[in-house]
Amino acid sequence: MYTRTDDRGHPEHPEHPERSERSERSEPSSEPHDLRHHGDAEVRDGGADLVDLAVNVRTGTPPQWLRKRVAASVASLAAYPDGRAARAAVAARHGLPAERVLLTAGAAEAFVLLARALPVRRPVVVHPQFTEPEAALRDAGHEVGRVLLREEDGFRLDPGAVPQSADLVVIGNPTNPTSVLHPAARIAELARPGRLLIVDEAFMDAVPGEAEALAGRTDIPGLVVLRSLTKTWGLAGLRIGYVLAEPETIAALERAQPLWPVSTPALVAAEACMGSAALAEAEDAARRIAADRAHLLAGLAEFDEVRVVEAAEGPFVLVRVRRASQVRERLRGLGFAVRRGDTFPGLDGDWLRLAVRDRATTNRFLQALDQALVMVG
């Protein structure tokens, strides 16, 4: 059901040698995926006027109250950043002691710290998913194994597909780009003594009720949860995220950080977003996203040429369409930027990722998609 490869694309199936022949066919010997490509590339260099369906940051953010809090922090920039209040706020939000929290300059910094600061021999990344964790592991000199989830299985996790020898496993939940929300119990099956289980929950606050979240759990050995404030609050330019893990893991990551890694404005934003009013606002936004996603999925279902990963639970959907690269270029000409899917291991050039937007924007996009499909033929 799954393909496991090393960083050169070679099959690794010590527990399931019967799968090796299929693995050899399904993954080429050289790396075909641009692991450093991200959605923001679709709206750079002349793309600023496009309607952005490529980046998963919620529109209309940051909200005015958060902008004011961040702006007010500029008055204290002469002092070195003090992260204690923000760290305590994150800890309280998840019901954890502060020694289980590390603030980072976005989740991307956390992936680099995990790759460089911890003793890892056999890391495995579950794909398709956000590519930065694998890129960071490779940059740190690791050979990275892969478990490739398949479309015909709904891109759902089978814990048994992960090799027993893996001492670090990375999985997103809900997963970017598939938008699949894996059951927390199934992810927890991956935990075992001597293994770090890295769960990227960057989009979890866009799920109503944060269903299937593992943040705040202390009963799972080796669990490391990453969170980002970028997506829901529109803080990509500020760079703020955090890690939740066992105290010894947090201490190891903290030793690898430079001094004062998170700026004062970012710390102020983190503390503000942990308050009860902010959490209620995030929950309201998550419910609106769910309704808007249902509207998008219903519209996409009208196209015979488009196949959708229907189990979407995140603020984006993944679709398969013939000649996707041409469709994407036609959509650009019609004013819409969408995310190419072929940079994700496990996907090819027939895939596109679409951010969920409000109904009016979605309706305009669906009209443009109809035109683009006719143009491509």
Side-chain angles (χ1 to χ4, degrees), residues 200-211:
D200 178 5
E201 292 189 350
F203 294 100
M204 187 60 78
D205 59 357
V207 177
E210 296 198 357

Side-chain angles (χ1 to χ4, degrees), residues 119-142:
V120 176
R121 296 177 300 103
R122 290 291 303 273
V124 168
V125 179
V126 179
H127 285 292
Q129 79 143 20
F130 184 50
T131 53
E132 204 59 33
E134 178 167 329
L137 286 163
R138 288 189 181 206
D139 288 347
H142 298 290

Side-chain angles (χ1 to χ4, degrees), residues 102-355:
L102 182 69
L103 302 173
T104 60
E109 187 207 5
F111 290 126
V112 172
L113 293 174
L114 288 163
R116 296 181 180 180
L118 302 177
V120 176
R121 296 177 300 103
R122 290 291 303 273
V124 168
V125 179
V126 179
H127 285 292
Q129 79 143 20
F130 184 50
T131 53
E132 204 59 33
E134 178 167 329
L137 286 163
R138 288 189 181 206
D139 288 347
H142 298 290
E143 292 191 2
V144 183
R146 290 176 177 171
V147 172
L148 302 184
L149 309 186
R150 303 195 309 167
E151 178 189 10
E152 50 266 49
D153 301 321
F155 294 109
R156 297 187 181 280
L157 173 68
D158 174 6
V162 176
Q164 294 287 332
S165 59
D167 59 357
L168 181 147
V169 179
V170 184
I171 186 168
N173 203 36
T175 302
N176 172 20
T178 65
S179 204
V180 171
L181 183 66
H182 305 289
R186 185 163 297 174
I187 292 179
E189 289 180 36
L190 295 172
R192 63 200 65 234
R195 171 184 287 178
L196 289 168
L197 173 57
I198 315 298
V199 184
D200 178 5
E201 292 189 350
F203 294 100
M204 187 60 78
D205 59 357
V207 177
E210 296 198 357
E212 311 304 338
L214 290 172
R217 294 278 295 272
T218 60
D219 59 321
I220 301 173
L223 176 65
V224 180
V225 175
L226 277 62
R227 287 285 182 111
S228 170
L229 301 179
T230 294
K231 319 303 180 185
T232 289
W233 297 111
L235 297 174
L238 200 58
R239 311 308 307 142
I240 178 65
Y242 55 89
V243 181
L244 307 175
E246 295 167 348
E248 54 269 30
T249 299
I250 294 296
L253 298 178
E254 192 168 19
R255 286 193 296 271
Q257 275 187 314
L259 291 174
W260 311 292
V262 181
S263 70
T264 294
L267 292 171
V268 167
E271 185 178 0
C273 291
M274 297 300 112
S276 58
L279 295 177
E281 182 176 328
E283 178 66 14
D284 288 343
R287 296 189 183 282
R288 288 196 302 273
I289 288 169
D292 290 338
R293 183 181 60 243
H295 181 70
L296 173 60
L297 291 173
L300 292 170
E302 298 297 319
F303 294 95
D304 293 335
E305 306 94 327
V306 177
R307 189 157 70 240
V308 183
V309 178
E310 295 182 351
E313 297 286 349
F316 48 86
V317 300
L318 183 66
V319 301
R320 179 189 278 277
V321 58
R322 189 171 62 90
R323 300 179 183 174
S325 62
Q326 296 179 44
V327 171
R328 175 172 151 269
E329 286 304 314
R330 294 293 187 182
L331 285 169
R332 289 183 71 84
L334 295 167
F336 289 86
V338 300
R339 172 67 157 90
R340 56 188 280 206
D342 62 332
T343 64
F344 295 99
L347 302 181
D348 57 26
D350 287 340
W351 293 94
L352 299 172
R353 192 192 68 195
L354 313 174

